[in-house]
Amino acid sequence: MNILITGGAGYIGSHTCVELLEAGHDIVIVDNFSNSNFKVLDNIKTITSKEFKFYEGDVKDKALLEKIFKENKIDAVIHFAAYKAVGESVTKPLMYYRNNLDTTITLLEVMNEFNCHNFVFSSSATVYGSPKSLPIKEDFPLSTTNPYGTTKLMNEQILSDVATADPDFSVIILRYFNPIGAHRSGLLGEDPNGIPNNLMPYIVRVATKELPSLNIFGNDYDTKDGTGVRDYIHVVDLAKGHLKAIEKAATSKGVKYYNLGTGTGYSVLELVKTFEKVNNIKVPYKIAPRRAGDIASCYADPTKAYQELGFKTELTIEDMCRDSYNYIITKEKHLND
Ligand code: NAD
Ligand code: UDP
């Protein structure tokens, strides 16, 4: 298939491009580098030894999308392009609604024009809000606590309405749990600007001594050791989930929802200890107050994705810790080569 990847230079998008190319698909990437850089595209080529088309620009730009669809016969779209920082979405809600909704609406309009009906969407476990029980199944009630999460839920609604209105449409909504890790080559990974908000990027910065110590947000939760529990999924496993989703989109109609997680929760302390052991390095930490809006535990029931997509994660929490660190310690090299 020839697949348009929006946000293909980003963290999850770039890993997905590698998996799609390695599986023999053709891809076209569109990205405006608002949270990525050009070097990522070279690194995708280095890993796969394959060529692909790239358009620099904004997915909200309808004329650009029409040009892409005119110049390429697109069979399916995977839509990663979005802003994703929860805290920033609280202070700049309009920026989040504009980017995360307009990109999808513009894409859907242009897909309609060009008779392309297969859509895979990057949603998030954040749409489950504070779940009443665990593990989380796809039919759990949905709610959100911040504008970023609301953009994901609104996108899900828009896509569901479009699939209802047009029986030719096939929409696969993937609700990611906590993606961490990096490509084994050290050429692709995650390295946020400024002080990281998420746990793994923060741990890595402490390990490299760019930050003095990790603040663990609360050790009095009702969890195995009192610290928050999440379902961490290796980004390469997550990327492979998109291959399965694309196959499903091509052979079904309507809207379908899948959790992409491992089904196992790890606590903050477990992640820190595993990171220290695998990388043979100390990660100093302090116990800090709970972070506003955090829930105690969140992990997926991955059964539906296994039964209907044949998706099963393979990489371990040790792989995630090793690869996250490896990417950062080799970063200077691959960004400057
Ligand atoms: P990322 O920021 O690394 O990648 C997003 C890419 O989209 C970037 O390359 C950015 O430059 C590009 N982009 C953003 N707005 C654009 C626009 N208007 N036009 C063109 N390009 C644009 O993020 P990621 O971690 O790879 O996340 C990918 C998707 O998965 C996002 O939709 C995100 O909300 C979702 N998601 C991420 C996580 C996570 O923890 N990383 C969890 C759940 C869901
Ligand atoms: N966390 C932490 N210190 C940090 C960042 C995160 O203790 O500096 C905890 C957080 O409270 C949560 C877990 O690590 O229990 C995962 O947080 P992250 O922000 O990575 O993901 P999310 O909360 O969005 O699932």
Side-chain angles (χ1 to χ4, degrees), residues 168-188:
D168 283 339
F169 240 94
S170 175
V171 176
I172 307 292
I173 290 176
L174 301 176
R175 294 180 180 146
Y176 310 153
F177 281 66
N178 289 55
I180 57 171
H183 196 266
R184 192 75 186 92
S185 62
L187 291 172
L188 301 174

Side-chain angles (χ1 to χ4, degrees), residues 78-92:
I78 308 182
H79 181 32
F80 292 104
Y83 296 149
K84 63 165 181 177
V86 171
E88 187 182 50
S89 80
V90 175
T91 55
K92 298 176 181 163

Side-chain angles (χ1 to χ4, degrees), residues 148-317:
Y148 166 72
T150 309
T151 69
K152 291 294 166 194
L153 203 48
M154 291 169 104
N155 266 288
E156 291 199 4
Q157 186 64 51
I158 291 167
L159 289 163
S160 155
D161 291 344
V162 166
T164 304
D166 182 348
D168 283 339
F169 240 94
S170 175
V171 176
I172 307 292
I173 290 176
L174 301 176
R175 294 180 180 146
Y176 310 153
F177 281 66
N178 289 55
I180 57 171
H183 196 266
R184 192 75 186 92
S185 62
L187 291 172
L188 301 174
E190 188 182 25
D191 184 20
N193 292 328
I195 296 179
N197 294 307
N198 296 111
L199 180 59
M200 182 55 92
Y202 205 109
I203 290 177
V204 172
R205 295 279 181 90
V206 174
T208 56
K209 299 197 163 44
E210 286 164 77
L211 290 168
S213 77
L214 171 71
N215 292 308
I216 295 185
F217 298 142
N219 66 348
D220 56 354
Y221 284 108
D222 183 15
T223 60
K224 46 189 135 184
D225 57 25
T227 65
V229 166
R230 296 290 183 274
D231 185 339
Y232 298 98
I233 175 168
H234 196 294
V235 66
V236 171
D237 274 335
L238 185 67
K240 289 181 175 159
H242 293 74
L243 266 181
K244 305 281 190 188
I246 275 292
E247 287 160 18
K248 187 74 177 175
T251 55
S252 65
K253 301 278 175 228
V255 55
K256 299 195 164 49
Y257 305 85
Y258 297 102
N259 287 339
L260 293 187
T262 65
T264 304
Y266 286 94
S267 73
V268 177
L269 272 174
E270 283 176 326
L271 195 69
V272 170
K273 294 292 162 204
T274 309
F275 186 97
E276 290 187 326
K277 189 162 156 236
V278 168
N279 296 310
N280 195 21
I281 194 159
K282 287 305 280 178
V283 178
Y285 63 83
K286 294 194 286 261
I287 304 300
R290 290 182 180 193
R291 181 171 66 179
D294 271 359
I295 55 176
S297 296
C298 175
Y299 52 91
D301 181 337
T303 311
K304 191 175 175 216
Y306 179 61
Q307 287 176 342
E308 295 186 17
L309 301 179
F311 173 72
K312 198 171 187 322
T313 58
E314 287 170 356
L315 297 166
T316 64
I317 196 82

